[in-house]
Amino acid sequence: MIEFTINGIDVSVEPGTTLLEAAQFLGVPIPTLCHMEGLTPYGACRLCVVEVGDPPNSRMVTSCTYPAEEGLKVRTASVRVLRARKMIVELLLASCPQSKTIQDIAAAMEVRQQRFRQENEDCILCGRCVRMCSEQMMAGAIGFTGRGQERSIGTPFDVSSEVCRLCGGCMYVCPVCELRCTYNEPEKAICGGCANLAPPCVEKPQYDDMMCYMQPCVACEIKKD
Amino acid sequence: MEQHSDVETTNPRDQIQSDICLTCKHLPGCVHRSKQTTSILFCDLYEEGVWSADLVVAIIDKHSNERGGLISILEAIQAKYGFLPESALRVVAQRTGRSLVDIYGVATFYSAFTLEPRGRHLCSVCMGTACHVRNAPAVSEEFQRQLGIHPGETTGDREFSLETVNCLGACALGPIVVVDGHYFPQVNTRQVGEIIDKTQVGLDFVEVATDQRVFPVEVFCARCNRSLMDAGHPIDGHPSVRVTISFGRKHGWLRLSSLYGSYTIEAEDEIPEDTVAQFFCPTCHAELAGATDCPICAAPMVPLIIRGGGMVQICSRRGCTSHLLDVSGLGA
């Protein structure tokens, strides 16, 4: 067992436990965005930063990827941490202002104004969908392409992937696009994509028991009939 | 090139591998080496439908045991075809058991990889800060005008590709242009046509006597960092480079001309042609050995550190004139 402190409270956890898991076990709130239970920690959004060590030599680390260490002193709500988190939220909000998830996080942190130019991006590159696709859906159809400013999420060669089962898991976990299939209410449809797609579960019986996040979906309506 | 064929017929190791292409690093089945007349970046022009899946499979199997072998595989495929064909990437994905998107992600991440076909010659114009202030944009525009293409594009006859790079790390030589691994320092717009003409003739055939690139170098041992220069024994009017060599049962000193591009040597013992010798530092007696092999005769290359940064590598085979100059370590 590893003994360390979070905000002055003594904790003892199994080796390999991350700071975020320990904090959540104690009920210490740490906001997260790219973190998701069941997916490997990624440390992309930096929202879960905490301060470790004694000032002035303390460091800022992402709690979702940092394993607990013996004798570590962790502070999850110091002035420095809160200031860093607010800045991150402001930047996230500027890039994807339409996202309900980010708006909620911003509201909870009392970020009321936006100092940065609004970008209206449709992706914050949190990598949730990529990990969902490869780890939970065992497909590996989408991934990161390019580098720096050109970094984006896509399929190889920008053509529809043959390993994609159209399960919709990537849209389900996305904190930004929130592209739920709204075929039943076409007037509210965001993309209307599934009306034009041919979900494989209709034609291929082996996809019958496959986990699907496309609910409600045109394929289920077809099957019912 | 005469000597090149000489090596092939007399060395037993090369006789066995005579049908192996050295451009794509010892892959059996590639016979394009014999057809090769000029120095090119890759040996086989890719044509859709005429590419060989077996070759790609051979590349993958060669690197499959290495950790981080994917980049080596992609490098070898790019050395073969000059770019990464989609069909080859699909074979890589299938063969290595990784998802195609992983491989595509790596291929798009590194700027050294390209998914578009490239020409036989690659002109890289440095647009780093130091080159930029010394009028590199004008050089780039002159290349664009003379080749009729924009950076990132390839000419219609697939002879030239033009690219701009952000920094080659040789800022003191700026504005610098690199064509097929040959460095052209302090380029102005008038020299652009000359560089293109030279490239079409073949850069390896440029006469050493008239070549502006012959210059004295001062080299150091990579291990003990002591100078290898011997001022008391000049060759070609410049201090010679003194090393100890051993071959067979013989062991003695060797003095090399420090003029980059000159092949004059003096040795204690007569070294027979085609002998591959081991090179040692005369001060610390460490073997001067690197990780690379000669691109022409496959003997080990001997690395020597140049004063001011960079490295020159010379072939350890007597009679082989291969050398590589790497100034990538030349700090800003």
Side-chain angles (χ1 to χ4, degrees):
Chain A
M1 296 296 266
I2 295 170
E3 313 234 329
F4 67 106
T5 64
I6 294 179
N7 296 343
I9 307 165
D10 292 325
V11 201
S12 76
V13 293
E14 298 277 341
T17 313
T18 63
L19 297 186
L20 181 66
E21 285 163 350
Q24 284 175 341
F25 178 73
L26 277 186
V28 177
I30 296 178
T32 59
L33 186 56
C34 72
H35 175 266
M36 199 176 177
E37 212 147 294
L39 303 180
T40 51
Y42 196 60
C45 70
R46 322 305 288 182
L47 255 189
C48 63
V49 283
V50 293
E51 200 176 354
V52 298
D54 285 315
N57 299 324
S58 63
R59 293 184 299 134
M60 304 280 272
V61 299
T62 48
S63 60
C64 66
T65 54
Y66 201 90
E69 276 171 17
E70 189 68 47
L72 201 68
K73 283 180 186 157
V74 182
R75 273 164 310 141
T76 65
S78 65
V79 174
R80 198 177 159 201
V81 166
L82 290 181
R83 201 190 294 142
R85 272 189 207 149
K86 271 194 174 177
M87 174 62 93
I88 292 163
V89 167
E90 275 184 69
L91 289 166
L92 286 172
L93 200 58
S95 61
C96 290
Q98 79 285 9
S99 161
K100 181 81 170 64
T101 316
I102 297 175
Q103 285 168 7
D104 288 350
I105 293 170
M109 282 191 192
E110 296 184 355
V111 174
R112 301 258 181 260
Q113 54 170 359
Q114 199 176 306
R115 286 176 289 169
F116 304 104
R117 188 162 51 89
Q118 206 157 299
E119 295 277 356
N120 295 312
E121 301 276 337
D122 51 8
C123 183
I124 53 164
L125 300 171
C126 67
R128 265 197 190 192
C129 52
V130 174
R131 286 173 286 152
M132 183 74 178
C133 191
S134 66
E135 290 167 19
Q136 290 295 328
M137 292 302 157
M138 303 299 167
I142 53 173
F144 288 105
T145 60
R147 176 173 55 171
Q149 279 209 306
E150 281 98 57
R151 189 165 163 90
S152 63
I153 290 191
T155 52
F157 307 101
D158 289 331
V159 292
S160 61
S161 171
E162 55 262 46
V163 289
C164 175
R165 299 191 301 264
L166 301 175
C167 69
C170 46
M171 294 191 252
Y172 182 77
V173 298
C174 180
V176 174
C177 69
E178 289 150 356
L179 281 177
R180 299 288 174 277
C181 181
T182 49
Y183 180 74
N184 286 358
E185 304 159 78
E187 67 278 6
K188 282 192 193 167
I190 299 169
C191 70
C194 67
N196 304 318
L197 300 171
C201 55
V202 181
E203 277 141 30
K204 295 178 185 160
Q206 75 264 33
Y207 286 122
D208 258 356
D209 303 330
M210 201 57 78
M211 180 106 95
C212 181
Y213 290 93
M214 285 285 213
Q215 262 180 338
C217 168
V218 62
C220 294
E221 299 299 314
I222 293 169
K223 273 190 190 169
K224 258 190 241 164
D225 297 339
Chain B
M1 274 302 164
E2 273 172 25
Q3 182 209 8
H4 181 167
S5 56
D6 210 279
V7 169
E8 263 187 358
T9 48
T10 50
N11 190 298
R13 189 172 131 199
D14 277 356
Q15 255 175 8
I16 303 162
Q17 304 184 334
S18 58
D19 62 338
I20 289 174
C21 179
L22 287 159
T23 314
C24 52
K25 306 266 181 197
H26 318 294
L27 277 176
C30 176
V31 290
H32 288 269
R33 181 192 181 191
S34 49
K35 296 182 199 162
Q36 195 178 314
T37 51
T38 56
S39 132
I40 51 170
L41 283 174
F42 48 93
C43 54
D44 195 6
L45 274 185
Y46 173 87
E47 300 292 340
E48 193 64 54
V50 201
W51 71 293
S52 157
D54 292 346
L55 260 171
V56 174
V57 168
I59 292 171
I60 297 162
D61 290 347
K62 186 167 176 277
H63 295 288
S64 55
N65 295 330
E66 296 169 21
R67 195 168 164 272
L70 178 60
I71 289 176
S72 309
I73 291 169
L74 297 182
E75 274 178 344
I77 294 173
Q78 178 145 324
K80 178 77 192 145
Y81 295 115
F83 76 110
L84 299 172
E86 181 180 337
S87 34
L89 291 191
R90 287 186 191 278
V91 174
V92 173
Q94 207 178 19
R95 191 90 184 158
T96 57
R98 304 176 68 154
S99 60
L100 181 63
V101 74
D102 274 1
I103 296 177
Y104 183 75
V106 171
T108 52
F109 184 86
Y110 292 101
S111 53
F113 295 129
T114 169
L115 297 167
E116 299 292 321
R118 273 211 189 136
R120 283 181 172 267
H121 306 288
L122 174 65
C123 302
S124 312
V125 182
C126 183
M127 295 290 249
T129 313
C131 293
H132 196 277
V133 297
R134 292 190 204 158
N135 223 5
V139 173
S140 169
E141 270 166 33
E142 186 65 15
F143 267 105
Q144 292 177 37
R145 195 184 65 79
Q146 295 210 7
L147 296 173
I149 47 172
H150 291 290
E153 291 177 356
T154 303
T155 51
D157 56 3
R158 286 181 72 175
E159 276 297 315
F160 282 97
S161 287
L162 180 65
E163 65 169 17
T164 57
V165 292
N166 289 334
C167 187
L168 289 162
C171 302
L173 305 178
I176 191 163
V177 173
V178 179
V179 183
D180 298 354
H182 291 259
Y183 287 71
F184 292 91
Q186 278 138 24
V187 177
N188 57 40
T189 47
R190 272 168 297 156
Q191 287 170 296
V192 168
E194 201 182 309
I195 292 172
I196 292 171
D197 292 344
K198 265 191 192 175
T199 310
Q200 274 167 335
V201 176
L203 289 166
D204 285 344
F205 295 93
V206 175
E207 286 283 318
V208 170
T210 58
D211 192 351
Q212 293 293 304
R213 291 176 292 155
V214 177
F215 51 89
V217 291
E218 194 174 340
V219 292
F220 294 83
C221 167
R223 180 71 62 85
C224 67
N225 212 16
R226 288 200 187 90
S227 176
L228 298 172
M229 306 310 291
D230 189 357
H233 195 111
I235 298 178
D236 293 341
H238 291 278
S240 60
V241 177
R242 180 166 167 260
V243 290
T244 319
I245 59 162
S246 73
F247 57 93
R249 285 160 180 256
K250 291 199 174 135
H251 198 75
W253 55 258
L254 171 75
R255 285 186 168 89
L256 310 152
S257 170
S258 63
L259 280 187
Y260 180 75
S262 164
Y263 300 106
T264 320
I265 63 160
E266 285 175 29
E268 190 174 340
D269 305 301
E270 176 95 7
I271 311 167
E273 280 287 308
D274 271 350
T275 311
V276 178
Q278 282 174 292
F279 284 62
F280 297 92
C281 169
T283 319
C284 69
H285 305 292
E287 183 171 1
L288 301 168
T292 45
D293 286 343
C294 174
I296 295 176
C297 71
M301 297 294 276
V302 179
L304 303 165
I305 306 298
I306 304 174
R307 182 195 196 103
M311 185 165 72
V312 62
Q313 299 199 60
I314 56 171
C315 182
S316 59
R317 190 188 297 278
R318 173 79 180 112
C320 178
T321 55
S322 171
H323 54 238
L324 300 169
L325 180 65
D326 178 13
V327 289
S328 55
L330 206 65

